[in-house]
């Protein structure tokens, strides 16, 4: 059930910040610039996907207007995601324009890495501060099976390109599934250590219907991963944060941080500071709920005036839910897949 609210416009003062009903201040916007992708990861998409028609996507100019308005409302971190953001035509232009916004402390990208050899240098020049690259396995056959279509070598070349472009503190994101890649957590950490990168392990979330595997059976908890790593490494919990949901540990004697994104075992909703924009302009107030607001309608009704957009964003704080309640064992799950959500 979608919770699309009608928007009442009012004039917020210039200093108005985004604070929801539970006192949480929103400082972090994730923008999905496309739901399309050159891979088909089994936990993210079903084999047959219907994508949003291109005509319904926000234009790059509209995406910029939204980013700019959020920054004016106190957001200081924007992450560009998808789908695979680097498959969208001319996307570097959006990075260039958002990168100029004063007030943006952290400007980041989540990517599967396949297009980084072409784009890493331009992203750095545009002002992207950090990159997260998704990599679930170091074994080519497993990589092909998990992504359904991909070649490990291309993502590895993307990681090299990001390192060569001078990105610091690159983070690898790995979704861990029991009996698919759970035995690789130490190898993945070592891979990151050797390259001065961080890593976050992610528990699979029940977004969208998938038939490839049973999400409950594939569940491998963050605590189990931590336990596996502790057989090899000394890990110290840190209070460091990158403004996202990861809990971090430092590997003793190394720069590498190991993060855990644990929507099931360590719910992170109390400190939620973020909202997400889908590629067609739907502002999602929670990763795991359908509460949303149609910002595309507001944008297009007022092409030359950002004030209604600003008012709509402020209004949306009234429908931000307290949190998600993911349950791997019961149906239905949310129908929205992760590629449409903007992970
Ligand atoms: N295509 C880019 C990538 O893979 O990094 C960006 C979009 S992808 C949806 C963002 C992140 O969401 C990736 O790290 C991916 O592994 C993660 N992800 C996708 N589906 C997920 C799911 N069902 N549960 C948990 N994480 C998921
Ligand atoms: Fe594409 Fe990223 Fe989803 Fe994999 S996780 S299918 S790379 S959007």
């Amino acid at each position: 059930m979608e919770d699309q609210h009608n928007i009442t416009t009012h004039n917020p003062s210039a200093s108005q910040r985004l604070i929801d009903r539970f006192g949480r201040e929103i400082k972090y916007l994730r923008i999905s610039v496309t739901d399309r992708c050159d891979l088909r990861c089994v936990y993210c998409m079903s084999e047959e996907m219907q994508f949003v028609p291109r005509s319904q996507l926000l234009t790059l100019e509209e995406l910029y207007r939204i980013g700019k308005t959020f920054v004016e409302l106190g957001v200081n971190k924007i992450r560009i995601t998808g789908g695979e953001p680097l498959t969208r035509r001319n996307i570097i232009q959006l990075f260039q324009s958002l990168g100029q916004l004063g007030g943006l402390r952290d400007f980041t990208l989540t990517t599967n890495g396949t297009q980084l050899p072409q784009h890493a240098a331009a992203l750095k020049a545009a002002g992207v501060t950090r990159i997260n690259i998704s990599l679930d396995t170091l074994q080519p056959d497993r990589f092909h099976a998990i992504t359904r279509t991909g070649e490990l070598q291309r993502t590895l070349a993307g990681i090299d390109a990001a390192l060569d472009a001078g990105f610091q503190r690159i983070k690898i994101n790995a979704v861990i599934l029991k009996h698919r890649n759970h035995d690789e957590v130490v190898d993945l950490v070592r891979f990151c250590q050797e390259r001065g990168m961080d890593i976050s392990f992610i528990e699979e979330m029940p977004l969208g219907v998938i038939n490839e595997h049973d999400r409950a059976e594939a569940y491998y908890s963050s605590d189990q991963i931590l336990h596996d790593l502790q057989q090899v490494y000394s890990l110290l919990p840190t209070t460091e944060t990158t403004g996202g949901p990861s809990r971090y540990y430092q590997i003793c004697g190394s720069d590498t941080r190991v993060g855990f994104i644990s929507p099931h075992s360590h719910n992170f909703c109390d400190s939620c500071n973020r909202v997400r924009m889908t590629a067609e302009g739907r502002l999602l107030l929670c990763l795991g709920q359908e509460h949303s607001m149609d910002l595309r309608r507001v944008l297009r009704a007022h092409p030359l005036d950002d004030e209604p957009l600003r008012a709509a964003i402020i209004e949306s704080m009234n429908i931000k839910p307290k949190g998600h309640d993911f349950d791997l064992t019961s149906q239905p799950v949310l129908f929205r897949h992760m590629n449409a959500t903007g992970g």
Side-chain angles (χ1 to χ4, degrees):
M1 258 278 297
E2 187 163 346
D3 192 356
Q4 295 269 2
H5 284 233
N6 284 331
I7 293 149
T8 52
T9 48
H10 62 282
N11 293 319
S13 71
S15 64
Q16 197 131 16
R17 296 176 301 161
L18 295 175
I19 299 179
D20 77 357
R21 292 171 294 159
F22 307 99
R24 299 171 298 190
E25 183 167 5
I26 303 309
K27 305 288 277 181
Y28 182 177
L29 171 67
R30 294 190 180 194
I31 303 179
S32 170
V33 296
T34 177
D35 62 340
R36 289 165 199 257
C37 186
D38 52 349
L39 303 181
R40 292 283 182 279
C41 301
V42 294
Y43 45 75
C44 178
M45 295 194 188
S46 60
E47 191 140 29
E48 296 300 321
M49 291 289 292
Q50 285 222 320
F51 296 106
V52 176
R54 287 202 169 82
S55 59
Q56 288 182 25
L57 297 181
L58 294 185
T59 64
L60 297 180
E61 291 73 20
E62 288 169 334
L63 289 166
Y64 171 71
R65 269 181 79 192
I66 287 186
K68 174 170 156 290
T69 306
F70 268 96
V71 170
E72 287 165 2
L73 288 167
V75 161
N76 60 18
K77 173 166 179 172
I78 291 182
R79 172 174 301 285
I80 302 296
T81 181
E84 176 45 46
L86 299 181
T87 60
R88 180 150 176 185
R89 196 180 315 157
N90 297 328
I91 192 65
I92 294 298
Q93 289 171 14
L94 179 68
F95 285 100
Q96 289 166 339
S97 56
L98 289 175
Q100 309 266 318
L101 288 176
L104 204 51
R105 240 188 29 213
D106 215 0
F107 183 29
T108 64
L109 161 70
T110 302
T111 173
N112 64 27
T114 59
Q115 317 287 316
L116 279 173
Q118 300 94 287
H119 295 306
L123 291 166
K124 182 81 179 136
V128 171
T129 51
R130 282 187 306 118
I131 300 191
N132 289 0
I133 305 174
S134 299
L135 175 70
D136 304 323
T137 171
L138 295 166
Q139 301 181 21
D141 53 340
R142 284 189 180 180
F143 188 92
H144 186 76
I146 291 175
T147 60
R148 288 199 185 94
T149 54
E151 284 171 43
L152 173 64
Q153 205 44 50
R154 296 195 59 196
T155 290
L156 295 183
I159 293 171
D160 286 343
L163 288 165
D164 288 347
F167 281 102
Q168 308 283 318
R169 298 254 62 91
I170 294 169
K171 189 172 75 157
I172 296 301
N173 279 344
V175 175
I176 299 300
L177 307 179
K178 194 193 279 180
H179 302 312
R180 300 294 284 261
N181 61 347
H182 80 263
D183 54 346
E184 282 192 72
V185 295
V186 169
D187 292 348
L188 285 163
V189 168
R190 190 174 305 119
F191 175 85
C192 292
Q193 246 189 321
E194 287 165 0
R195 289 162 182 77
M197 304 190 298
D198 295 329
I199 182 163
S200 275
F201 292 107
I202 306 176
E203 290 177 352
E204 183 181 11
M205 302 174 214
L207 295 182
V209 176
I210 55 161
N211 300 320
E212 200 265 352
H213 60 276
D214 180 320
R215 296 202 202 253
E217 278 174 26
Y219 177 59
Y220 200 73
S221 74
S222 295
D223 289 347
Q224 185 63 54
I225 298 171
L226 181 60
H227 173 268
D228 297 347
L229 294 176
Q230 281 168 333
Q231 308 311 304
V232 180
Y233 295 108
S234 291
L235 294 161
L236 284 178
T238 86
T239 50
E240 265 180 272
T241 167
T242 54
S246 275
R247 295 173 296 126
Y248 282 103
Y249 290 75
Q250 187 79 44
I251 298 186
C252 293
S254 147
D255 277 355
T256 293
R257 287 178 310 174
V258 179
F260 295 94
I261 300 177
S262 323
H264 303 289
S265 56
H266 295 266
N267 183 302
F268 40 66
C269 300
D270 283 351
S271 58
C272 182
N273 60 351
R274 33 193 186 280
V275 291
R276 293 174 161 78
M277 270 284 311
T278 70
E280 72 269 45
R282 189 172 148 213
L283 181 67
L284 295 171
L285 282 309
C286 175
L287 170 68
Q289 306 273 6
E290 291 291 5
H291 303 68
S292 71
M293 194 172 263
D294 180 1
L295 293 186
R296 183 181 60 186
R297 190 169 62 77
V298 185
L299 272 174
R300 294 192 177 168
H302 305 277
L304 300 175
D305 180 7
D306 285 343
E307 199 46 45
L309 174 64
R310 189 183 164 83
I313 294 169
I314 291 170
E315 181 85 10
S316 73
M317 291 298 105
N318 293 326
I319 57 165
K320 183 166 168 62
K322 195 159 193 294
H324 68 247
D325 39 18
F326 288 142
D327 180 353
L328 288 175
T329 56
S330 72
Q331 298 283 351
V333 291
L334 278 185
F335 290 110
R336 176 168 37 81
H337 287 90
M338 190 60 125
N339 70 303
T341 305

